[in-house]
């Protein structure tokens, strides 16, 4: 079977064909690209007595050990571990390849050299947004940028974009995947895109000004930031009748978030508006999206590109694969990357509807799809938030409770020590901006009931704020990513108490402790 089918027919192949072609492509990729040029995987395969030919089917991938974030983190002994994941081509090996020789004969030596440079020389990078650890750089070559554009073009297609639409890219301008995926995807698709850089670059006001001026059909960005901008737009009486699509990324998207954004979009005049979510991560160097569906229908999941990566869903405890559509942790293997390459990478992200094949009920594409809600355990682990008052708390659950809660707009969960005394007990404070005039005391009672039903704890206090105070609290326009969960338990991290009018006290140069954490 023609292996190119995987690329040309990426959205139209049956499961069996996809899996067979992926295994074939992986074997070829390992033999020609990864094992000769990746220091990490060359050693790993050798240690386990594996070769490219050990992988005859996707099931054989289980013989290969997982890669996790800790494998990429520097240690005092190995200060440059991420470098071992970057492909470093051996000119001697490349010069003997038939493809290189053929190209040199046809187009001359210089052209052959230029082509290899485009394939292997890193020219761009994005990095992870670690809080406790240093950000991990992921390098892109020209070959990777073409794939980033290809993935982005498909993402726009899946999300239902049309060339005549106008797009406002509101992701924060930073060396992070989301901004660049939207930028490269938009230009590859051939749609008008203006990038505001998010709240930190232009502020809410600057974003609103561009909404007034451009009257976008599509808004792309992080849910919390778009929520704040649309809330302000509604308050200021801004109209944007042609808004058709809100494309979300960078945070989890619950039904409640979709509902709140739809309501706000209708307030500013949008008539037919779909909210679609995307999912992506630095290590994959691309993102995937949902196709639009009706407000009362279940989304069709993230449409994956089978020619660019292989997904597995595993039981996070045993590492064993789960059955089709079963919940588990998402594991990713690159199939066509250069620069930084990871195989069987454990994302720490859990998907409750698993991986499915077969035609999407909404758009009919037959690409593999990730279904349901994604919970990112990595952020909670990194902030060591899992234990409050000695009780294990599922923050993903809490986030869904708050996102889905009626009458609640933006919110923030704050952890601190009582009286800011490091020896005192933990306190959980819930900050809320209401969407309507529902009575405070009834909302407090409802939320406390919800918390107790989902976890063993309830907030020590629930504090109400207006939209402006909430924007300050979440760091809109100050932080790269709005803060929905903050941990102020460590001494010296932040000062001040939590009276309703209080803001997070800024550090000396005007940024709060966590911003400093993120940019260091
Ligand atoms: Zn679909």
């Amino acid at each position: 079977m023609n292996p190119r089918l995987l690329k040309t027919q990426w959205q139209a192949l049956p499961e069996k064909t996809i899996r067979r072609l992926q295994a074939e492509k992986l074997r070829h990729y390992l033999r020609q690209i990864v094992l000769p040029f990746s220091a990490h995987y060359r050693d790993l395969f050798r240690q386990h007595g594996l070769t490219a030919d050990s992988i005859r089917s996707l099931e054989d991938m289980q013989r290969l050990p997982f890669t996790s974030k800790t494998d990429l983190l520097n240690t005092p002994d190995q200060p440059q571990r991420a470098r071992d994941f970057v492909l470093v081509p051996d000119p001697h090996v490349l010069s003997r390849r038939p493809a290189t020789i053929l190209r040199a004969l046809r187009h001359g030596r210089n052209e052959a050299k230029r082509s290899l440079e485009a394939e292997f020389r890193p020219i761009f990078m994005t990095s992870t947004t670690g809080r406790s650890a240093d950000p991990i750089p992921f390098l892109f070559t020209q070959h990777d940028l073409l794939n980033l554009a290809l993935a982005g073009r498909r993402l726009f297609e899946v999300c239902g974009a049309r060339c005549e639409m106008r797009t406002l890219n509101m992701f924060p301008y930073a060396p992070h995947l989301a901004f660049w995926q939207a930028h490269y995807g938009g230009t590859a698709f051939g749609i008008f895109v203006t990038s505001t850089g998010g709240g930190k670059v232009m502020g809410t006001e600057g974003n609103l000004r561009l909404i007034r001026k451009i009257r976008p059909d599509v808004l792309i960005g992080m849910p919390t930031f778009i929520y704040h901008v649309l809330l302000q737009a509604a308050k200021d009486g801004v109209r944007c009748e042609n808004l058709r699509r809100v494309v979300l990324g960078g945070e989890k998207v619950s039904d409640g978030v979709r509902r709140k954004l739809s309501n706000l979009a209708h307030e500013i005049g949008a008539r037919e508006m779909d909210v679609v979510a995307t999912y992506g991560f630095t290590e994959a160097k691309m993102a995937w999206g949902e196709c639009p569906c009706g407000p009362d229908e279940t989304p069709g999941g993230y449409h994956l590109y089978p020619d660019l990566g292989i997904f597995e869903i595993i039981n996070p405890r045993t590492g064993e694969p789960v059955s089709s559509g079963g919940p588990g942790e998402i594991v990713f293997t690159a199939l066509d990357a250069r620069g930084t390459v990871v195989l069987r990478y454990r994302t720490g992200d859990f998907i409750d509807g698993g991986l499915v094949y077969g035609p999407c009920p909404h758009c009919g594409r037959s690409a593999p799809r990730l279904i349901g809600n994604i919970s990112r355990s990595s952020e909670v682990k990194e902030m060591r938030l899992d234990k409050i008052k000695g009780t294990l708390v599922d923050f993903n659950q809490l986030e869904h409770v708050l996102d889905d809660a009626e009458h609640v707009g933006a919110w923030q969960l704050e952890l601190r020590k009582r009286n800011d005394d490091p020896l005192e007990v933990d306190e959980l404070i819930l900050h809320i901006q209401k969407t309507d005039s529902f009575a405070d005391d009834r909302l407090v009672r409802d939320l406390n009931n919800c918390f107790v039903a989902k976890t063993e704890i309830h907030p020590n206090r629930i504090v109400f704020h207006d939209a402006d105070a909430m924007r300050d609290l979440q760091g809109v326009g100050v932080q790269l990513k709005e803060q929905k969960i903050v941990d102020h338990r460590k001494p010296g991290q932040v000062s001040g108490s939590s009276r309703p009018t209080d803001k997070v006290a800024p550090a000396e140069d005007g940024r709060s402790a966590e911003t400093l954490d993120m940019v260091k």
Side-chain angles (χ1 to χ4, degrees):
M1 193 176 288
N2 183 356
R4 280 193 56 78
L5 271 183
L6 205 52
K7 184 169 188 174
T8 56
Q9 303 284 309
W10 71 274
Q11 45 185 325
L13 296 173
E15 176 176 356
K16 234 175 134 179
T17 312
I18 292 173
R19 294 178 65 89
R20 196 167 77 216
L21 290 175
Q22 280 186 325
E24 214 172 287
K25 184 163 182 176
L26 178 60
R27 198 163 56 244
H28 184 262
Y29 179 54
L30 289 173
R31 187 188 298 123
Q32 296 288 325
I33 307 288
V34 181
L35 297 181
F37 307 137
S38 164
H40 177 83
Y41 289 109
R42 191 167 46 231
D43 284 354
L44 192 72
F45 271 65
R46 195 183 294 138
Q47 279 166 25
H48 289 81
L50 299 168
T51 66
D53 287 322
S54 309
I55 311 292
R56 309 303 301 182
S57 69
L58 292 193
E59 285 72 27
D60 290 337
M61 287 174 74
Q62 289 167 48
R63 300 175 64 185
L64 179 63
F66 293 114
T67 297
S68 67
K69 190 171 246 172
T70 48
D71 293 316
L72 287 136
L73 289 176
N74 296 333
T75 60
D77 296 345
Q78 293 166 284
Q80 298 284 355
R81 280 177 102 195
R83 269 199 195 168
D84 285 350
F85 289 83
V86 180
L87 301 182
V88 179
D90 177 344
H92 192 62
V93 172
L94 286 177
S95 67
R96 284 182 308 174
R97 287 211 170 141
T100 315
I101 295 167
L102 204 63
R103 185 174 282 273
L105 286 173
R106 272 201 195 141
H107 306 285
R109 281 176 65 93
N110 282 345
E111 174 54 28
K113 196 169 167 234
R114 198 206 56 76
S115 153
L116 290 174
E117 293 246 320
E119 185 172 353
F120 289 104
R121 179 183 293 285
I123 55 168
F124 180 82
M125 73 163 241
T126 63
S127 69
T128 57
T129 51
R131 287 164 186 278
S132 52
D134 285 338
I136 302 166
F138 269 71
L139 302 183
F140 290 65
T141 70
Q142 190 75 58
H143 179 96
D144 292 309
L145 286 180
L146 290 175
N147 277 340
L148 182 67
L150 175 66
R153 197 185 78 208
R154 290 174 180 174
L155 183 70
F156 273 75
E157 274 169 29
V158 167
C159 294
R162 291 196 308 273
C163 285
E164 66 274 16
M165 287 177 164
R166 283 164 300 190
T167 305
L168 207 58
N169 170 15
M170 296 156 81
F171 276 121
Y173 174 67
H176 298 155
L177 179 73
F179 177 91
W180 296 100
Q181 179 68 93
H183 169 78
Y184 276 97
T187 47
F189 185 84
I191 195 170
F192 180 88
V193 181
T194 298
S195 297
T196 70
K200 212 171 165 179
V201 173
M202 300 188 83
T204 305
E205 192 40 53
N207 281 266
L208 277 176
R209 202 167 52 240
L210 278 173
I211 288 179
R212 282 200 193 92
K213 198 163 181 162
I214 291 171
R215 299 186 158 272
D217 305 85
V218 185
L219 299 180
I220 303 182
M222 292 211 271
T224 314
F225 181 63
I226 293 189
Y227 174 82
H228 279 296
V229 172
L230 290 183
L231 192 66
Q232 193 62 39
K235 200 171 147 194
D236 295 355
V238 175
R239 302 294 291 169
C240 192
E241 282 91 354
N242 48 324
L243 182 61
R244 296 293 308 276
R245 203 83 79 231
V246 172
V247 181
L248 303 173
E251 289 172 359
K252 65 168 70 77
V253 179
S254 68
D255 292 346
V257 166
R258 291 174 203 265
R259 195 183 60 239
K260 285 171 200 172
L261 290 173
S262 289
N263 291 344
L264 283 173
H266 289 136
E267 270 186 54
I268 62 168
R271 285 178 296 271
E272 279 179 46
M273 221 278 302
D274 295 306
V275 177
V276 294
T278 66
Y279 170 60
F281 45 95
T282 310
E283 296 83 353
K285 302 201 279 190
M286 71 185 101
W288 310 271
E290 295 173 339
C291 59
C293 66
D296 302 322
E297 293 176 302
T298 309
Y302 303 104
H303 296 51
L304 308 174
Y305 323 128
D307 53 329
L308 298 178
I310 298 171
F311 281 82
E312 299 169 86
I313 306 297
I314 59 159
N315 177 326
R317 232 170 2 91
T318 63
E320 297 287 321
V322 302
S323 55
S324 174
E329 183 179 348
I330 299 169
V331 173
F332 174 82
T333 295
L335 257 187
D336 196 32
R338 305 297 188 265
T340 313
V341 170
V342 287
L343 307 176
R344 294 203 91 203
Y345 181 78
R346 285 186 71 154
T347 58
D349 295 343
F350 297 85
I351 181 113
D352 60 13
L355 175 67
V356 302
Y357 293 82
C360 168
H362 304 300
C363 70
R365 290 181 179 89
S366 275
R369 284 170 294 126
L370 289 173
I371 304 284
N373 286 318
I374 290 177
S375 309
R376 298 195 142 171
S377 71
S378 46
E379 287 179 6
V380 170
K381 264 191 213 145
E382 269 182 45
M383 286 181 77
R384 289 183 284 277
L385 287 177
D386 49 346
K387 272 198 171 176
I388 306 174
K389 305 178 198 173
T391 306
L392 268 179
V393 174
D394 184 346
F395 268 89
N396 286 302
Q397 277 267 15
L398 282 186
E399 283 189 62
H400 281 305
V401 166
L402 290 165
D403 280 339
D404 289 343
E406 294 277 347
H407 319 293
V408 174
W411 54 266
Q412 186 185 63
L413 275 172
E414 183 194 17
L415 278 159
R416 60 193 314 148
K417 290 286 183 186
R418 186 187 289 166
N419 302 325
D420 289 325
D421 177 348
L423 300 175
E424 268 283 9
V425 292
D426 295 338
E427 284 194 324
L428 182 65
I429 300 142
L430 172 60
H431 301 273
I432 279 178
Q433 170 254 326
K434 285 195 299 182
T435 53
D436 51 32
S437 55
F438 194 73
D440 289 5
D441 55 341
R442 287 175 62 193
L443 188 53
V444 167
R445 193 188 58 211
D446 291 354
L447 286 169
N448 274 328
N449 289 342
C450 256
F451 265 65
V452 173
K454 298 281 179 187
T455 67
E456 287 175 29
I457 59 158
H458 60 82
N460 296 67
R461 295 196 286 292
I462 297 180
V463 186
F464 293 93
H465 302 268
D466 63 17
D468 289 340
M470 200 62 196
R471 252 200 301 277
D472 286 341
L473 211 55
Q474 288 191 327
V476 176
V478 181
Q479 309 260 5
L480 213 44
K481 187 173 180 173
E482 288 70 41
Q483 307 290 299
K484 293 174 87 174
I485 301 178
V486 290
D487 188 354
H488 295 151
R489 286 178 299 182
K490 274 183 238 151
Q493 207 171 25
V494 85
S495 59
S497 66
S498 267
R499 291 190 305 276
T501 49
D502 269 356
K503 297 167 185 177
V504 176
E508 272 189 347
D509 67 346
R511 291 177 297 181
S512 80
E514 290 191 9
T515 325
L516 294 173
D517 236 358
M518 285 175 75
V519 297
K520 81 178 171 204

